[in-house]
Amino acid sequence: MTRMSAIDELFEKTRAENRAVLVGYLPAGFPDVKTSIAAIEAMVSAGVDLVEVGLPYSDPVMDGPVIQAAADQALSNGIRTTDVLEVARASAATGAPTVVMTYWNPVERFGVERFAAELAAAGGAGLITPDLVPDEAAEWIAASEQHGLDRVFLVAPSSTDARLALTADASSGFIYAAAVMGVTGAREQTSSLAPTLVERVRAVTSTPVGVGLGVSNGEQAHEVATFADAVIVGSALVKALHTGGIDGVATLAAELRAGVER
Amino acid sequence: MPYEQPDATGHFGRFGGRFMPEALIAPLDELDRAWTEAKADPVFTAELDRMLREYANVPSPLYEATRFSEAVGARILLKREDLNHTGAHKIRNVLGQALLAKRIGKPRAIAETGAGQHGVASATACAYLDLECTVYMGEVDTERQALNVARMRMLGAEVVPVTTGSRTLKDAINEALRDWVASVDHTSYLFGTAAGPHPFPSMVRDLTRGIGDEARAQVLELTGSLPDAAVACVGGGSNAIGLFTAFVDDADVQLLGVEAGGDGFDTGRHAATITAGDVGVLHGARSYLLQDQDGQTIESHSISAGLDYPGVGPEHAHLAATGRARYVPATDADAMAAFDLLCKTEGIIPAIESAHALAGAQALAKELGPDATILVNLSGRGDKDVHTAAEWFGLIDGPVVLDEGVEE
Ligand SMILES: Cc1ncc(COP(=O)(O)O)c(C=O)c1O
């Protein structure tokens, strides 16, 4: 822990404001590259603090139907990895720390070192890696050190204490706690497993913990904000973009932002 | 030094490992422990042996294919996995995994299937062992393998057609993984091939290696020496690794894996993953796969649904990279010619998957000459493929009506 990253600074700021960080996910290129950038700008203006830019992938095993469909559409429009980096650049230009959320193969194919270099050059803050665990991440750990990027690994209700410690150790910026055993997608109720998981992570690290999977409205965001350092919203924003366009995203983001104020 | 793979973390050289959501890592660790304990427990192994013998008709015979040998110009010995219960090698793997599921105490099982053979084997094992069974199958495959869908349902399994992505085997695996991540506390995933995250590749190998162990002894008994080559088709790689494992330390035995060449591996329409793919990560392991410049998976093509998969098990990637085994493609046309030849010379209708191995053996016979003995794994029987083959050979006049209102 030498230098503060943009994400570290964000958490320091929100701690001072006594609120949780609001993290918003949108896939690059859905419904097209231009609109995805406009939607990210709108959600940041409406109060999203940290942006996750999704890299659409052909085999998204962690994703439910909403994000799968968005990725499919982006891919059939011909989205490329280089386009995703451009969306990340535009997102970072809003001033919100921006991470790319990606399955591992596209990064490996691009070249881990090259991906890290180009993401850093675009102003990106790090990566969230839903199918890369620290055990397999030696190359990414080296590249992220080299380029000053944060590494957001996931923990889950099934993680053992030993794995929580190992994962926390390898993570920086924040830790992504998957609130439920399952894939992405809005859920009616917030998870009863999440508070316990956050508590277990806190027992092994001082790195902030974000909670995602299933948060879809202001009320749920508020509930999660009472026990987590960050509230992560994905499918609900994608759905809002799909049904309500840019305005839909802005409206939901504002509602979520009101929710994370404690 | 004898061959010993994988290492403790499931790596075969640089291949394999675990590229999976964290939610599944602890369950995979548990599975690894449970399997390690079970295979060392004489009560478990005796029960599995009994099931294989009494129920699955294992060991399968070795058969000297005299007329086929004459036609191809080398001595061809067939390992008759087509005679196993449910008609393929797949039953060996699934009985083992289902018995392990019983032992762990998980009442529900899920499986993915391409051709339907692994789905049928899973439905069978679940009926036999009283497990609830859900099979994910790409919608495209449910259409081209309608008979197997009916078979699975008859056996009491729920078949879920998968409508995402390319609607074939890889998408069925995706959907099964999505189910598993949410149900792993009470559900076992009966994985159908020697791919996926650790411990699946080595567990499936442990369960299928009887093919090669039996065949090695059978060939020795029949001929007094080891074969010059052992040949198997490669989809995900379970029948091939099951055959190869017994021979890996026999340096003089050539190992030949035959991949699905589809329309020809230079046309882009094929499933020849090692021949024409690149190293990457898919479905939990690093191996070869068919992918575009950005690492997006490319759809595979093959006349054989069981070989129509853009990935391959990591141990085959390792055996290819080290040069211990060789992998070559056989096109749809090559495979169907070998299919026809086996039907006409031996009165055996092979699975189209297995016909790829026969085509590979045919080409190898030309290389090795008439003194060579070639062991071929006849991984399955062709009943499920009669419709596809009849269409290929133009033996069907009118459309075949399978269901009321559904024309094929
Ligand atoms: C008869 C038969 N052979 C081979 C295969 C290919 O699988 P694997 O490469 O795992 O042996 C299948 C798959 O369905 C099959 O049914």
Coordinates of all heavy atoms in Angstrom, one line a residue, chain B residues 155-209:
Chain B
L155 N -36.9 -41.7 -19.5 CA -36.2 -42.2 -18.3 C -36.4 -41.3 -17.1 O -35.8 -41.5 -16.1 CB -34.7 -42.2 -18.7 CG -34.3 -43.3 -19.7 CD1 -32.9 -43.0 -20.3 CD2 -34.2 -44.7 -19.0
G156 N -37.3 -40.3 -17.3 CA -37.7 -39.5 -16.2 C -36.9 -38.2 -16.0 O -37.1 -37.5 -15.0
A157 N -36.1 -37.9 -16.9 CA -35.3 -36.6 -16.8 C -36.1 -35.4 -17.4 O -36.9 -35.6 -18.3 CB -34.0 -36.7 -17.5
E158 N -35.8 -34.3 -16.8 CA -36.3 -33.1 -17.4 C -35.3 -32.6 -18.5 O -34.1 -32.5 -18.1 CB -36.5 -32.0 -16.3 CG -37.0 -30.7 -16.8 CD -36.9 -29.5 -15.8 OE1 -36.2 -29.7 -14.8 OE2 -37.4 -28.5 -16.1
V159 N -35.7 -32.3 -19.7 CA -34.8 -31.8 -20.7 C -35.1 -30.3 -20.9 O -36.3 -30.0 -21.3 CB -34.9 -32.6 -22.0 CG1 -34.0 -32.0 -23.1 CG2 -34.7 -34.1 -21.8
V160 N -34.1 -29.5 -20.7 CA -34.3 -28.0 -20.9 C -33.6 -27.6 -22.2 O -32.4 -27.6 -22.3 CB -33.8 -27.2 -19.7 CG1 -34.0 -25.7 -19.9 CG2 -34.4 -27.7 -18.4
P161 N -34.4 -27.2 -23.2 CA -33.7 -26.7 -24.5 C -33.1 -25.3 -24.2 O -33.8 -24.4 -23.6 CB -34.9 -26.6 -25.5 CG -36.1 -27.3 -24.8 CD -35.8 -27.2 -23.4
V162 N -31.9 -25.1 -24.6 CA -31.2 -23.9 -24.3 C -31.2 -23.0 -25.6 O -30.8 -23.4 -26.7 CB -29.7 -24.2 -23.9 CG1 -28.9 -22.9 -23.8 CG2 -29.7 -25.0 -22.6
T163 N -31.8 -21.8 -25.4 CA -32.0 -20.9 -26.6 C -31.0 -19.8 -26.7 O -31.2 -18.9 -27.5 CB -33.4 -20.4 -26.5 OG1 -33.6 -19.7 -25.3 CG2 -34.5 -21.5 -26.6
T164 N -30.0 -19.8 -25.8 CA -29.1 -18.6 -25.9 C -27.9 -19.0 -26.8 O -27.6 -20.1 -27.0 CB -28.5 -18.3 -24.5 OG1 -28.0 -19.5 -23.9 CG2 -29.7 -17.8 -23.6
G165 N -27.2 -17.9 -27.2 CA -25.9 -18.1 -27.9 C -26.1 -18.9 -29.2 O -27.1 -18.7 -30.0
S166 N -25.3 -19.9 -29.4 CA -25.3 -20.7 -30.7 C -26.3 -21.8 -30.5 O -26.5 -22.6 -31.4 CB -24.0 -21.2 -31.1 OG -23.4 -22.0 -30.0
R167 N -26.9 -22.0 -29.3 CA -27.9 -23.0 -29.1 C -27.4 -24.4 -29.3 O -28.1 -25.3 -29.8 CB -29.2 -22.7 -29.9 CG -29.9 -21.4 -29.4 CD -31.1 -21.1 -30.2 NE -30.8 -20.8 -31.6 CZ -31.4 -21.3 -32.7 NH1 -32.4 -22.1 -32.6 NH2 -30.9 -20.9 -33.9
T168 N -26.1 -24.6 -29.0 CA -25.5 -25.9 -29.1 C -24.8 -26.3 -27.8 O -25.1 -25.7 -26.8 CB -24.6 -26.1 -30.3 OG1 -23.5 -25.1 -30.1 CG2 -25.2 -25.9 -31.6
L169 N -23.9 -27.3 -27.9 CA -23.3 -27.8 -26.6 C -22.7 -26.8 -25.7 O -22.8 -26.8 -24.5 CB -22.3 -28.9 -27.0 CG -21.5 -29.6 -25.9 CD1 -22.5 -30.2 -24.9 CD2 -20.6 -30.6 -26.4
K170 N -21.9 -25.8 -26.3 CA -21.2 -24.9 -25.4 C -22.2 -24.0 -24.6 O -22.0 -23.7 -23.5 CB -20.3 -24.0 -26.2 CG -20.9 -22.8 -26.9 CD -19.9 -21.8 -27.5 CE -20.5 -20.7 -28.2 NZ -21.2 -19.7 -27.4
D171 N -23.4 -23.7 -25.2 CA -24.4 -23.0 -24.5 C -25.1 -23.8 -23.5 O -25.6 -23.3 -22.5 CB -25.4 -22.4 -25.6 CG -24.6 -21.6 -26.7 OD1 -24.1 -20.5 -26.4 OD2 -24.4 -22.2 -27.7
A172 N -25.3 -25.1 -23.8 CA -25.8 -26.0 -22.8 C -24.9 -26.0 -21.6 O -25.4 -26.1 -20.4 CB -26.0 -27.4 -23.4
I173 N -23.6 -26.0 -21.8 CA -22.7 -26.0 -20.6 C -22.8 -24.7 -19.9 O -22.9 -24.7 -18.6 CB -21.2 -26.2 -21.1 CG1 -21.0 -27.6 -21.7 CG2 -20.2 -26.0 -20.0 CD1 -19.7 -27.9 -22.3
N174 N -22.9 -23.6 -20.6 CA -23.1 -22.3 -19.9 C -24.3 -22.3 -19.0 O -24.3 -21.9 -17.9 CB -23.3 -21.2 -20.9 CG -22.0 -20.9 -21.7 OD1 -21.0 -21.3 -21.4 ND2 -22.2 -20.2 -22.9
E175 N -25.4 -22.9 -19.6 CA -26.7 -22.9 -18.8 C -26.6 -23.8 -17.6 O -27.1 -23.5 -16.5 CB -27.8 -23.2 -19.8 CG -29.2 -22.7 -19.4 CD -29.2 -21.1 -19.2 OE1 -28.5 -20.4 -19.9 OE2 -30.0 -20.7 -18.4
A176 N -26.0 -24.9 -17.8 CA -25.8 -25.9 -16.7 C -25.0 -25.2 -15.6 O -25.3 -25.4 -14.4 CB -25.1 -27.2 -17.2
L177 N -23.9 -24.5 -16.0 CA -23.1 -23.8 -15.0 C -23.9 -22.7 -14.2 O -23.8 -22.6 -13.0 CB -21.9 -23.2 -15.6 CG -20.8 -24.1 -16.0 CD1 -19.7 -23.5 -16.9 CD2 -20.1 -24.7 -14.8
R178 N -24.8 -22.0 -14.9 CA -25.7 -21.0 -14.3 C -26.6 -21.7 -13.3 O -26.9 -21.1 -12.2 CB -26.4 -20.2 -15.3 CG -25.6 -19.3 -16.2 CD -26.4 -18.6 -17.2 NE -25.5 -17.9 -18.1 CZ -25.5 -18.1 -19.5 NH1 -26.3 -19.0 -20.0 NH2 -24.6 -17.5 -20.2
D179 N -27.1 -22.8 -13.7 CA -28.0 -23.6 -12.7 C -27.1 -24.0 -11.5 O -27.5 -23.8 -10.3 CB -28.5 -24.8 -13.4 CG -29.4 -25.7 -12.5 OD1 -29.0 -26.0 -11.4 OD2 -30.4 -26.2 -13.0
W180 N -25.9 -24.5 -11.8 CA -25.1 -25.1 -10.7 C -24.7 -24.0 -9.7 O -24.7 -24.3 -8.5 CB -23.9 -25.8 -11.3 CG -23.3 -26.8 -10.4 CD1 -24.0 -27.7 -9.6 CD2 -21.9 -27.2 -10.2 NE1 -23.2 -28.5 -8.9 CE2 -21.9 -28.2 -9.3 CE3 -20.8 -26.7 -10.8 CZ2 -20.7 -28.8 -8.9 CZ3 -19.6 -27.3 -10.4 CH2 -19.5 -28.4 -9.5
V181 N -24.4 -22.8 -10.2 CA -23.9 -21.8 -9.2 C -25.0 -21.5 -8.2 O -24.8 -21.1 -7.1 CB -23.4 -20.6 -10.0 CG1 -24.4 -19.5 -10.1 CG2 -22.1 -20.1 -9.5
A182 N -26.3 -21.7 -8.6 CA -27.4 -21.3 -7.7 C -27.9 -22.6 -7.0 O -28.7 -22.4 -6.0 CB -28.5 -20.8 -8.6
S183 N -27.4 -23.8 -7.3 CA -28.0 -25.0 -6.7 C -27.0 -25.9 -6.1 O -27.4 -27.0 -5.7 CB -28.8 -25.7 -7.8 OG -27.9 -26.2 -8.8
V184 N -25.8 -25.5 -6.1 CA -24.7 -26.4 -5.8 C -24.8 -27.1 -4.4 O -24.2 -28.1 -4.1 CB -23.3 -25.7 -6.0 CG1 -23.1 -24.6 -5.0 CG2 -22.1 -26.7 -5.9
D185 N -25.5 -26.4 -3.5 CA -25.6 -27.0 -2.1 C -26.4 -28.4 -2.2 O -26.1 -29.2 -1.3 CB -26.3 -26.1 -1.2 CG -27.7 -25.7 -1.6 OD1 -27.9 -25.6 -2.9 OD2 -28.6 -25.5 -0.8
H186 N -27.3 -28.6 -3.2 CA -28.0 -29.8 -3.2 C -27.9 -30.5 -4.6 O -28.6 -31.5 -4.9 CB -29.5 -29.6 -2.9 CG -30.2 -28.8 -3.8 ND1 -30.1 -27.4 -3.8 CD2 -31.0 -29.0 -4.9 CE1 -30.9 -26.9 -4.8 NE2 -31.4 -27.9 -5.4
T187 N -27.0 -30.0 -5.5 CA -27.0 -30.5 -6.9 C -25.6 -30.9 -7.3 O -24.6 -30.1 -7.0 CB -27.6 -29.4 -7.8 OG1 -28.9 -29.2 -7.5 CG2 -27.5 -29.9 -9.3
S188 N -25.4 -32.0 -7.9 CA -24.2 -32.4 -8.5 C -24.2 -32.1 -10.0 O -25.3 -32.3 -10.7 CB -23.9 -33.9 -8.4 OG -23.7 -34.2 -7.0
Y189 N -23.1 -31.6 -10.6 CA -23.0 -31.4 -12.0 C -22.3 -32.6 -12.6 O -21.1 -32.8 -12.3 CB -22.3 -30.1 -12.3 CG -22.2 -29.8 -13.8 CD1 -22.8 -30.6 -14.8 CD2 -21.6 -28.6 -14.2 CE1 -22.8 -30.2 -16.1 CE2 -21.5 -28.2 -15.5 CZ -22.1 -29.1 -16.5 OH -22.0 -28.7 -17.8
L190 N -23.0 -33.5 -13.3 CA -22.4 -34.6 -14.0 C -21.8 -34.1 -15.3 O -22.6 -34.0 -16.3 CB -23.5 -35.7 -14.2 CG -24.3 -36.1 -13.0 CD1 -25.4 -37.2 -13.5 CD2 -23.5 -36.6 -11.9
F191 N -20.6 -33.8 -15.3 CA -19.9 -33.2 -16.5 C -19.6 -34.3 -17.5 O -19.1 -35.4 -17.1 CB -18.7 -32.5 -16.1 CG -18.3 -31.4 -17.1 CD1 -19.0 -30.3 -17.2 CD2 -17.2 -31.6 -17.9 CE1 -18.6 -29.3 -18.2 CE2 -16.8 -30.7 -18.8 CZ -17.5 -29.5 -19.0
G192 N -19.9 -34.1 -18.8 CA -20.0 -35.1 -19.8 C -18.7 -35.4 -20.5 O -18.6 -36.4 -21.3
T193 N -17.7 -34.7 -20.2 CA -16.4 -34.9 -21.0 C -15.2 -34.5 -20.2 O -15.4 -34.0 -19.1 CB -16.5 -34.2 -22.4 OG1 -15.3 -34.7 -23.1 CG2 -16.4 -32.7 -22.2
A194 N -14.0 -34.8 -20.7 CA -12.8 -34.6 -19.9 C -12.3 -33.2 -20.0 O -11.2 -32.9 -20.3 CB -11.7 -35.6 -20.3
A195 N -13.3 -32.2 -19.9 CA -12.9 -30.8 -19.9 C -13.4 -30.1 -18.7 O -13.8 -30.8 -17.7 CB -13.5 -30.2 -21.2
G196 N -13.6 -28.8 -18.7 CA -14.1 -28.1 -17.6 C -13.0 -27.8 -16.5 O -11.8 -28.1 -16.7
P197 N -13.4 -27.2 -15.4 CA -12.5 -26.9 -14.3 C -12.0 -28.1 -13.6 O -12.7 -29.1 -13.5 CB -13.3 -25.9 -13.4 CG -14.7 -26.4 -13.6 CD -14.8 -26.8 -15.0
H198 N -10.8 -28.0 -13.0 CA -10.4 -29.1 -12.1 C -11.4 -29.3 -10.9 O -11.9 -28.3 -10.4 CB -9.0 -28.6 -11.5 CG -8.4 -29.6 -10.5 ND1 -8.1 -30.9 -10.8 CD2 -8.2 -29.5 -9.2 CE1 -7.6 -31.5 -9.8 NE2 -7.6 -30.6 -8.7
P199 N -11.8 -30.5 -10.6 CA -11.2 -31.8 -10.9 C -11.8 -32.5 -12.1 O -11.5 -33.7 -12.2 CB -11.4 -32.6 -9.6 CG -12.8 -32.1 -9.1 CD -12.8 -30.7 -9.5
F200 N -12.7 -31.9 -12.8 CA -13.4 -32.7 -13.9 C -12.5 -33.4 -14.8 O -12.7 -34.6 -15.1 CB -14.5 -31.8 -14.6 CG -15.7 -31.6 -13.8 CD1 -16.0 -30.3 -13.3 CD2 -16.6 -32.6 -13.4 CE1 -17.1 -30.1 -12.5 CE2 -17.7 -32.4 -12.7 CZ -18.0 -31.1 -12.2
P201 N -11.5 -32.7 -15.4 CA -10.7 -33.5 -16.4 C -10.1 -34.7 -15.9 O -10.1 -35.8 -16.6 CB -9.7 -32.4 -16.9 CG -10.3 -31.1 -16.6 CD -11.1 -31.3 -15.3
S202 N -9.5 -34.6 -14.7 CA -8.8 -35.8 -14.2 C -9.8 -36.8 -13.6 O -9.6 -38.1 -13.7 CB -7.8 -35.5 -13.2 OG -8.3 -34.6 -12.2
M203 N -11.0 -36.4 -13.1 CA -12.0 -37.3 -12.6 C -12.6 -38.1 -13.7 O -12.8 -39.3 -13.7 CB -13.1 -36.5 -11.8 CG -14.2 -37.4 -11.3 SD -15.3 -36.6 -10.1 CE -16.1 -35.4 -11.2
V204 N -12.9 -37.4 -14.8 CA -13.5 -38.1 -16.0 C -12.5 -39.0 -16.6 O -12.8 -40.1 -17.0 CB -14.0 -37.0 -17.0 CG1 -14.5 -37.7 -18.3 CG2 -15.1 -36.2 -16.4
R205 N -11.2 -38.7 -16.6 CA -10.2 -39.6 -17.0 C -10.1 -40.8 -16.2 O -10.1 -42.0 -16.7 CB -8.8 -38.9 -17.0 CG -7.7 -39.8 -17.4 CD -6.3 -39.2 -17.1 NE -6.2 -39.0 -15.7 CZ -5.2 -38.3 -15.1 NH1 -4.3 -37.7 -15.9 NH2 -5.1 -38.2 -13.8
D206 N -10.2 -40.6 -14.8 CA -10.1 -41.8 -13.9 C -11.3 -42.7 -14.2 O -11.2 -43.9 -14.2 CB -10.3 -41.3 -12.5 CG -9.1 -40.6 -12.0 OD1 -8.0 -40.6 -12.6 OD2 -9.2 -39.9 -10.9
L207 N -12.4 -42.1 -14.6 CA -13.6 -43.0 -14.8 C -13.7 -43.6 -16.2 O -14.4 -44.6 -16.3 CB -14.9 -42.1 -14.6 CG -15.1 -41.7 -13.1 CD1 -16.2 -40.6 -13.0 CD2 -15.5 -42.9 -12.3
T208 N -13.0 -43.0 -17.2 CA -13.1 -43.6 -18.5 C -11.8 -44.4 -18.8 O -11.8 -45.1 -19.8 CB -13.2 -42.5 -19.6 OG1 -12.2 -41.6 -19.4 CG2 -14.6 -41.9 -19.5
R209 N -10.8 -44.4 -18.0 CA -9.5 -45.0 -18.3 C -9.6 -46.6 -18.4 O -8.8 -47.2 -19.0 CB -8.4 -44.6 -17.4 CG -8.6 -45.1 -15.9 CD -7.3 -44.9 -15.2 NE -6.2 -45.8 -15.7 CZ -4.9 -45.7 -15.6 NH1 -4.5 -44.7 -14.8 NH2 -4.0 -46.5 -16.1

